[in-house]
Amino acid sequence: MTFRDFLRDRMGFILIYLFNLALVAAVIELDLMGTNGRSGGLTSGDLLYIGVLGIAGVTSYLVFDYVRRWSYWRRMRRLFEAEPNAEAWDNLLSIPEGVTRERRHLSEAFRKLHRSYSDLLARYRSRQEEHDFFTRQWVHQMKTPVSVIHLLTQRAGAGAGVALSPVAGEHPGGSRAAAARPRYDAAHRPAG
């Protein structure tokens, strides 16, 4: 923001100040001309009148400026009092443009920050999806050869008369030691 933008944002205050200076000058000029029937300097009543005019001018500007900025402040207060979540970010984007250039710059900065955050989140989600896809494909590629090997060993075991358990290392009878011994069916049992 440039100094010119700063002055433009405070133009109302500058105009009220200049108006008050003009009123003070008018009061002094009228008093010095002797329009009130006496000659001499300013009385305490004149000084009080000048002060009241100055305070009235500044107060009227402050009330006008407060009313002008009130809706912006109210929405900002609601935003900061809300729980931080995605809806709060959407509310942040719905804040009206500020009445000053400062607030317009701040609103634009919030929008840029939100876009940057949304882009970063989208890239993260894309990477996560790629990672999940890769993991699923890798698991599938690993399971296929293991399943084929398991099927081939079952066929080879069935051809030799050995029954293998679906659980590796477990014999259908239950013990691991028994799993190492071949199991014969009744036709191949040794006599005696």
Side-chain angles (χ1 to χ4, degrees):
M1 182 161 79
T2 65
F3 186 70
R4 182 183 294 176
D5 291 337
F6 176 79
L7 289 178
R8 284 181 187 159
D9 284 342
R10 273 95 183 144
M11 189 54 68
F13 187 75
I14 292 170
L15 291 175
I16 290 294
Y17 180 75
L18 293 175
F19 180 73
N20 278 339
L21 280 179
L23 280 177
V24 167
V27 168
I28 291 173
E29 183 64 30
L30 290 174
D31 190 51
L32 291 179
M33 286 179 32
T35 56
N36 58 3
R38 58 180 194 279
S39 62
L42 293 173
T43 65
S44 60
D46 293 334
L47 292 175
L48 180 66
Y49 183 65
I50 291 170
V52 167
L53 285 177
I55 290 172
V58 169
T59 302
S60 63
Y61 172 74
L62 291 175
V63 167
F64 169 74
D65 196 39
Y66 177 78
V67 168
R68 186 173 70 146
R69 298 174 187 216
W70 183 73
S71 67
Y72 181 83
W73 287 338
R74 183 183 51 161
R75 283 190 162 175
M76 288 297 287
R77 185 177 61 235
R78 272 194 232 146
L79 176 68
F80 289 125
E81 290 173 354
E83 290 293 322
N85 56 25
E87 186 177 321
W89 278 102
D90 292 338
N91 289 340
L92 177 67
L93 294 176
S94 70
I95 291 175
E97 286 293 324
V99 291
T100 64
R101 284 165 184 76
E102 280 178 51
R103 293 219 176 99
R104 287 185 206 127
H105 289 301
L106 183 62
S107 294
E108 184 60 29
F110 277 144
R111 285 184 183 90
K112 285 181 179 178
L113 179 64
H114 184 265
R115 278 192 301 268
S116 173
Y117 175 74
S118 296
D119 292 344
L120 181 67
L121 189 58
R123 282 194 308 263
Y124 171 75
R125 285 182 179 154
S126 174
R127 284 187 203 152
Q128 187 65 36
E129 288 172 6
E130 287 175 8
H131 175 75
D132 291 346
F133 177 76
F134 172 78
T135 303
R136 284 191 303 271
Q137 289 298 319
W138 183 82
V139 167
H140 174 72
Q141 295 298 327
M142 291 295 110
K143 283 172 72 176
T144 301
V146 170
S147 298
V148 169
I149 291 169
H150 184 67
L151 182 63
L152 290 175
T153 55
Q154 280 186 343
R155 283 188 181 168
V162 177
L164 298 175
S165 170
V167 178
E170 290 276 333
H171 186 273
S175 74
R176 288 188 181 272
R181 295 187 309 251
R183 193 178 80 174
Y184 299 103
D185 59 10
H188 294 94
R189 188 172 295 164

